[in-house]
């Protein structure tokens, strides 16, 4: 998963260009920047790499989600369907929009269960937000069909699955809009940063304005620009974009290495009776940042996970108990603990929401371990890790 493992000369060169000109901002100062437009260049590279018409860089993946919702018109009173297994940014962005998060079960893809989505649709539903977790994909074709049928927006959170595809299309480019995160632990990193991807020109133009205080970006005098609507500052800096430019050129190499190393671990675990794997709707499109697998019971999974860590095999995650990623531990959301007053409809919706209804998710996530795939392993290290992991899991199962 982490592009930071291969940070090097390429990124340094791009950052040095920015430091040499001294223009750290992505807009304006045209005559002082020695022709360097790192954010613009990265947006172009994103469009080419992921075969999408438009990309708007943002300050983070979370602000990319906020921007996507703003340009799609998701706001107060609207319901947004999101999964039980994700990152806290999902509900943060929904709540920031003034919309209401409606949390529904995942299935053995570790992503939104389309049946649970359909069952959760109400007259207030505006948007379905699948989160392509741990490098692989939701059943995005089925979800898209559901959205088309019910006239809902599809927002793909592909923050964790940069470079993954579904039937040849990049995740994040299939729905009405999609998002990437370039935070420090993502497949490619800017240090901090994100992007909104869309094929919808109006969404893109509005995202360009919205992320820069609503400036219309007409003419050369920022102070003279008008504001067609309210905006915010979700800009990325040139320094961050420069790092991303170095990283995106290494993406093919990152993906190839992940897929090779993932295969080594998977082959070793597949030989164990009792180990099964996450369902991947299009296995060829897996970005392979993680290998996620199931053990027969929650009890055995907890034991195996503890044993893996005990044996020095870090990078194995048991999300079921994780504060960031699974609904069970989101007490601040369940209690609507906010520094500022939330609007009454949202407060009421959260207070009335049944957070204890996720037996299906519990039954899956309680048996899931995700194993991080590193880029820096030598073939010998990958083999050694694979056999250690297999021996550890085998010892717990037998
Ligand atoms: C990392 C992440 C985000 C948010 O990205 P930041 O850049 O850290 O704000 C959103 N969704 C998912 C699924 C993520 O993993």
């Amino acid at each position: 998963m982490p592009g930071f493992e291969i940070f090097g000369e390429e990124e340094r060169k791009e950052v040095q260009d920015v430091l040499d000109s001294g223009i750290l901002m992505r807009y304006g100062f045209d005559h002082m920047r020695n022709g360097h437009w790192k954010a613009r260049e990265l947006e172009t590279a994103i469009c080419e790499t992921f075969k999408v018409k438009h990309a708007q860089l943002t300050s983070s993946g979370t602000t990319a989600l906020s921007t996507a919702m703003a340009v799609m018109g998701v706001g107060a009173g609207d319901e947004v369907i999101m999964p039980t297994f994700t990152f806290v940014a999902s509900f943060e962005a929904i709540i920031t929009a003034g919309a209401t998060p409606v949390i529904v079960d995942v299935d053995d893809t570790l992503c939104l269960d389309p049946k649970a989505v359909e069952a959760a649709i109400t007259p207030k539903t505006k948007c379905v937000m699948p989160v392509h977790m741990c490098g692989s994909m939701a059943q995005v074709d089925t979800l898209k069909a559901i959205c088309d049928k019910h006239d809902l927006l599809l927002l793909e959170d592909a923050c964790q699955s940069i470079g993954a595809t579904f039937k040849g299309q990049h995740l994040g480019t299939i729905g009405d809009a999609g998002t990437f995160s370039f935070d420090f632990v993502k497949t490619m990193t800017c240090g901090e940063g994100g992007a909104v991807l869309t094929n919808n020109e109006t969404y893109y133009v509005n995202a360009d304005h919205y992320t820069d205080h609503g400036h219309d970006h007409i003419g050369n005098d920022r102070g003279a620009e008008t504001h067609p609507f309210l905006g915010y500052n979700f800009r990325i800096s040139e320094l961050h974009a420069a790092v991303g430019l170095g990283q995106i050129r290494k993406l093919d190499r990152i993906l190839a290495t992940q897929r090779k190393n993932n295969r080594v671990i998977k082959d070793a675990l597949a030989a164990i009776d009792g180990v099964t794997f996450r369902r991947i709707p299009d296995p060829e499109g897996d970005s392979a940042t993680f290998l996620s697998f199931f053990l027969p019971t929650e009890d055995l999974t907890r034991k195996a996970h503890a044993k893996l860590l005990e044996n020095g095999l870090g990078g194995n995650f048991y999300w079921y108990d994780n504060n960031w990623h699974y609904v069970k531990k989101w007490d601040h959301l369940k209690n609507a603990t906010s520094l500022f007053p939330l609007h009454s409809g949202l407060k009421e919706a959260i207070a009335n929401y049944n957070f204890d209804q996720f037996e299906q998710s519990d039954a899956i996530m309680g048996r899931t371990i995700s194993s991080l795939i590193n880029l820096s392993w030598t073939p010998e290290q990958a083999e050694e890790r694979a056999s250690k992991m297999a021996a550890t899991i085998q010892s717990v199962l037998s």
Side-chain angles (χ1 to χ4, degrees):
M1 170 139 143
F4 74 71
E5 288 182 86
I6 53 163
F7 183 88
E9 275 317 306
E10 303 82 351
E11 291 82 356
R12 271 186 214 107
K13 186 212 157 279
E14 296 297 328
V15 172
Q16 195 60 50
D17 285 345
V18 179
L19 293 175
D20 287 345
S21 75
I23 305 305
L24 314 185
M25 186 178 180
R26 69 162 301 177
Y27 298 115
F29 304 93
D30 298 26
H31 303 299
M32 295 164 67
R33 53 198 312 143
N34 300 338
H36 294 308
W37 297 91
K38 300 302 180 186
R40 264 195 218 169
E41 231 186 291
L42 180 53
E43 284 166 348
T44 304
I46 288 171
C47 290
E48 282 165 4
T49 305
F50 302 102
K51 311 215 166 27
V52 66
K53 282 196 191 137
H54 308 287
Q56 175 65 46
L57 286 169
T58 57
S59 53
S60 73
T62 309
T63 57
L65 287 170
S66 285
T67 301
M69 279 188 249
V71 300
M72 296 195 306
V74 175
D78 295 331
E79 292 179 354
V80 179
I81 294 177
M82 59 164 275
T84 52
F85 176 50
T86 175
F87 179 56
V88 289
S90 303
F91 59 78
E92 288 169 354
I94 295 168
I95 287 174
T96 300
T100 305
V102 173
I103 300 172
V104 311
D105 272 320
V106 295
D107 61 18
D108 60 347
T109 64
L110 305 187
C111 297
L112 275 182
D113 174 3
K115 285 195 297 299
V117 169
E118 243 186 333
I121 293 171
T122 75
K124 289 185 177 169
T125 310
K126 178 95 165 242
C127 177
V128 176
M129 183 165 70
V131 184
H132 301 296
M133 287 300 280
C134 303
S136 185
M137 73 228 58
Q139 294 155 83
V140 71
D141 53 346
T142 313
L143 292 170
K144 193 172 186 329
I146 291 171
C147 287
D148 289 346
K149 181 173 148 201
H150 296 271
D151 198 18
L152 304 174
L153 296 158
L154 181 64
L155 169 55
E156 293 175 82
D157 179 341
C159 288
Q160 291 196 5
S161 299
I162 299 170
T165 55
F166 179 76
K167 298 191 176 153
Q169 268 183 296
H170 279 276
L171 302 189
T173 70
I174 300 164
D176 296 283
T179 60
F180 286 165
S181 163
F182 305 128
D183 81 20
F184 191 56
V185 297
K186 296 305 205 270
T187 304
M188 54 170 273
T189 183
C190 293
E192 298 284 359
V196 179
L197 315 179
T198 184
N199 289 309
N200 180 313
E201 191 179 350
T202 305
Y203 290 169
Y204 163 66
V205 170
N206 287 342
D208 166 81
H209 298 0
Y210 184 75
T211 50
D212 186 27
H213 303 290
H215 282 309
D216 63 14
H217 293 160
I218 295 171
N220 280 330
D221 180 358
R222 282 178 66 76
E225 290 179 25
T226 64
H227 304 94
F229 47 76
L230 294 168
Y232 218 86
N233 178 4
F234 289 155
R235 292 189 305 260
I236 195 166
S237 82
E238 284 288 275
L239 288 170
H240 291 91
V243 176
L245 261 183
Q247 291 261 302
I248 199 169
R249 296 183 190 127
K250 300 177 182 177
L251 186 64
D252 285 345
R253 202 174 101 205
I254 292 175
L255 293 170
T257 306
Q258 283 175 174
R259 286 170 178 150
K260 181 172 60 107
N261 288 345
N262 186 299
R263 172 53 59 189
V264 173
I265 309 284
K266 186 165 187 179
D267 284 348
L269 301 197
I272 303 172
D273 212 16
V275 174
T276 53
F277 296 95
R278 164 196 195 166
R279 179 159 60 96
I280 300 179
D282 177 9
E284 274 184 33
D286 184 7
S287 74
T289 58
F290 282 91
L291 175 69
S292 298
F293 56 94
F294 306 120
L295 298 183
T297 65
E298 181 184 327
D299 184 49
L300 286 167
T301 311
R302 283 182 185 282
K303 283 193 180 127
H305 179 247
K307 210 47 189 219
L308 285 165
L309 298 191
E310 215 177 282
N311 291 351
L313 295 157
N316 282 295
F317 296 93
Y318 185 59
W319 307 119
Y320 191 50
D321 288 339
N322 185 291
N323 291 341
W324 285 5
H325 293 289
Y326 191 60
V327 64
K328 196 158 63 91
K329 293 281 186 84
W330 295 339
D331 289 339
H332 59 318
L333 172 66
K334 295 177 196 175
N335 300 325
T337 313
S338 172
L339 288 174
F340 51 86
L342 301 174
H343 73 78
S344 57
L346 175 55
K347 251 192 120 151
E348 210 174 299
I350 293 175
N352 293 332
Y353 204 67
N354 175 13
F355 286 96
D356 299 318
Q357 61 176 314
F358 304 118
E359 283 149 40
Q360 176 177 311
S361 299
D362 288 346
I364 292 160
M365 297 313 300
R367 297 188 298 110
T368 303
I369 294 175
S370 294
S371 198
L372 184 64
I373 303 300
N374 282 36
L375 302 175
S376 52
W377 295 335
T378 64
E380 295 74 32
Q381 283 170 329
E383 290 289 352
E384 194 193 329
R385 182 177 169 90
S387 53
K388 269 196 186 167
M389 276 185 66
T392 303
I393 293 165
Q394 185 69 71
S395 75
V396 172
L397 293 187
S398 45

